[in-house]
Amino acid sequence: MTRPAWVPDRGEIIWINFNPQSGREMRDRHPMLVLSPKKFNDRTGIVIGLPMTTADYNSTNPFAIKFEGPQGVISYVLAHQPKSFDWRRRSAKIHPWKCVPKEVFTNVCELLNQIISLTE
């Protein structure tokens, strides 16, 4: 199997299909912030990340990290919904925003760590 030239990398924003979904999970095609490193994503074909949305009701969500994207678009990274997907089978593509600012990535990782306590 020929590997694609592009492989998602940590800190990048990708478009990916969240279907099928269940309950309160996000559905359809949305941006996702990639947490897993490129080497892992390439070798396994799996990407681990967090969904992103522009839904304004997340402004009061304590698990959503708010940031301003290009042209002043307000977006939220949902730290309480980590996902892993086969990025090749779901035809993931790089998002036009490319990546989040480093401070946003750091804040997201710190919040996720508070939720699941990987390190103390």
Side-chain angles (χ1 to χ4, degrees), residues 25-39:
E25 295 173 343
M26 202 172 248
R27 68 175 185 257
D28 300 326
R29 188 171 180 245
H30 280 278
M32 183 169 101
L33 174 60
V34 177
L35 299 176
S36 49
K38 183 176 189 172
K39 188 173 182 177

Side-chain angles (χ1 to χ4, degrees), residues 26-90:
M26 202 172 248
R27 68 175 185 257
D28 300 326
R29 188 171 180 245
H30 280 278
M32 183 169 101
L33 174 60
V34 177
L35 299 176
S36 49
K38 183 176 189 172
K39 188 173 182 177
F40 171 86
N41 300 335
D42 188 32
R43 183 171 180 113
T44 65
I46 300 293
V47 65
I48 301 168
L50 299 169
M52 296 174 58
T53 182
T54 56
D56 193 47
Y57 60 79
N58 283 292
S59 65
T60 59
N61 180 346
F63 305 112
I65 300 291
K66 177 182 176 180
F67 75 99
E68 187 174 321
Q71 291 86 41
V73 176
I74 300 300
S75 190
Y76 301 90
V77 180
L78 305 180
H80 64 299
Q81 292 191 38
K83 306 284 185 199
S84 64
F85 292 125
D86 183 321
W87 63 272
R88 292 182 181 116
R89 295 287 298 254
R90 290 177 183 259

Side-chain angles (χ1 to χ4, degrees), residues 9-21:
D9 199 4
R10 176 177 282 151
E12 286 186 336
I13 302 170
I14 62 172
W15 281 115
I16 198 160
N17 188 345
F18 282 74
N19 290 337
Q21 62 81 229

Side-chain angles (χ1 to χ4, degrees), residues 96-116:
W97 293 3
K98 306 276 190 226
C99 59
V100 297
K102 288 189 182 282
E103 64 274 5
V104 171
F105 189 79
T106 298
N107 291 341
V108 166
C109 290
E110 287 173 357
L111 182 55
L112 179 60
N113 187 56
Q114 289 174 18
I115 295 168
I116 60 178

